[in-house]
Amino acid sequence: MILIGPPGSGKGTQAELLREKNSFVHYSTGEVFRDLIRRKTPVGLQVEKYVTSGGLVPDAVVLEVVNSFLAENAGKPILFDGFPRTIPQAEGLDKVLAAKDLAVDMAVLVDLADEEVVKRLTSRRQCRKCGKIYNLTFKPPKVAGICDDCGGELYQRKDDMEAVILDRLGTYHHQTEPVLGYYSAQAKLKKIDGALGRDRVYEEIVRLIGAA
Ligand code: AMP
């Protein structure tokens, strides 16, 4: 299953819920890249400039990282979050899956208007240690700047600054929206209004999974 949506639409939060309650393997290419950057691996150094500027990592690099993940996890119920983000990535994924006699079952769009994206992301904070996501407006931590779960320090991602958010939105509209047409043509696209809020979006996704 694939979760698509503009940055800040709540894909990461939904993916976490689905992982905890429905035992999906959650694979977020954004999280993978942030981890490689933190660890200063060769791929991390290569992708850092794209991630911090809000641009897209080149398709070949993304597909290589995803292929090595699939080599170990294909066949499990996988939830892709933030991948595929371009048509070549969607085609690349279909090709690898087809070689293993597998296919994407469903692509879910969690949609959100640009103004709401900017509002949500400028107040988003993340734990440096465990990656948990907070929002200063909707879901603040109990103690300012500290993670409720692990006591780690909360920080603002560089790509959550307003100018970068606008670039990320532009990238989403130009490069990722065509992916919706790709899955719609295969009759695999489902749409959910991200403005419904965390719990109702989750219920809706669970309903779609049940129906599938
Ligand atoms: P995310 O956490 O999904 O918002 O991703 C953060 C950043 O990682 C994006 O702005 C891109 O620079 C990079 N990234 C994550 N996933 C992809 C992907 N599938 N294709 C290209 N770049 C990606």
Side-chain angles (χ1 to χ4, degrees):
M1 176 169 154
I2 286 162
L3 277 182
I4 308 183
S9 59
K11 299 186 300 291
T13 307
Q14 295 300 329
E16 274 309 302
L17 285 171
L18 288 161
R19 183 177 66 83
E20 283 167 19
K21 301 191 180 174
N22 302 68
S23 55
F24 272 98
V25 178
H26 172 201
Y27 192 75
S28 153
T29 40
E31 278 304 322
V32 169
F33 291 137
R34 278 188 288 283
D35 179 56
L36 295 172
I37 293 169
R38 254 192 311 266
R39 293 193 285 120
K40 297 191 179 3
T41 68
V43 178
L45 296 173
Q46 190 188 353
V47 303
E48 186 165 15
K49 59 176 182 290
Y50 304 103
V51 175
T52 48
S53 69
L56 288 188
V57 172
D59 291 333
V61 179
V62 178
L63 285 170
E64 207 177 298
V65 169
V66 172
N67 284 350
S68 56
F69 162 76
L70 278 174
E72 295 190 359
N73 293 280
K76 295 180 190 163
I78 298 172
L79 179 70
F80 284 108
D81 156 20
F83 169 87
R85 260 172 154 105
T86 64
I87 296 272
Q89 289 180 22
E91 289 170 343
L93 176 63
D94 275 353
K95 214 164 124 195
V96 192
L97 290 177
K100 299 178 192 293
D101 255 343
L102 296 167
V104 169
D105 289 317
M106 185 165 45
V108 176
L109 164 68
V110 184
D111 209 3
L112 199 65
D114 288 6
E115 309 80 68
E116 189 60 25
V117 166
V118 173
K119 215 158 63 186
R120 282 191 185 186
L121 288 188
T122 46
S123 52
R124 177 159 82 173
R125 298 293 181 273
Q126 188 163 16
C127 175
R128 239 183 238 295
K129 221 161 122 193
C130 72
K132 183 165 174 160
I133 298 164
Y134 292 84
N135 187 293
L136 300 184
T137 315
F138 319 110
K139 192 184 151 201
K142 292 193 185 108
V143 180
I146 306 283
C147 177
D148 294 347
D149 286 2
C150 76
E153 178 202 0
L154 302 188
Y155 77 110
Q156 182 174 34
R157 281 167 44 178
K158 272 192 197 143
D159 57 346
D160 280 347
M161 313 278 174
E162 187 154 350
V164 183
I165 292 168
L166 296 177
D167 283 345
R168 289 168 69 199
L169 271 171
T171 306
Y172 173 76
H173 291 307
H174 289 113
Q175 307 210 55
T176 305
E177 271 180 356
V179 175
L180 302 177
Y182 181 87
Y183 288 114
S184 170
Q186 297 183 9
K188 290 180 177 172
L189 185 71
K190 310 284 175 199
K191 295 182 189 174
I192 299 180
D193 178 5
L196 290 174
R198 191 188 90 139
D199 294 344
R200 288 191 52 201
V201 171
Y202 175 70
E203 278 167 23
E204 190 58 18
I205 296 177
V206 170
R207 195 186 63 75
L208 290 172
I209 294 172

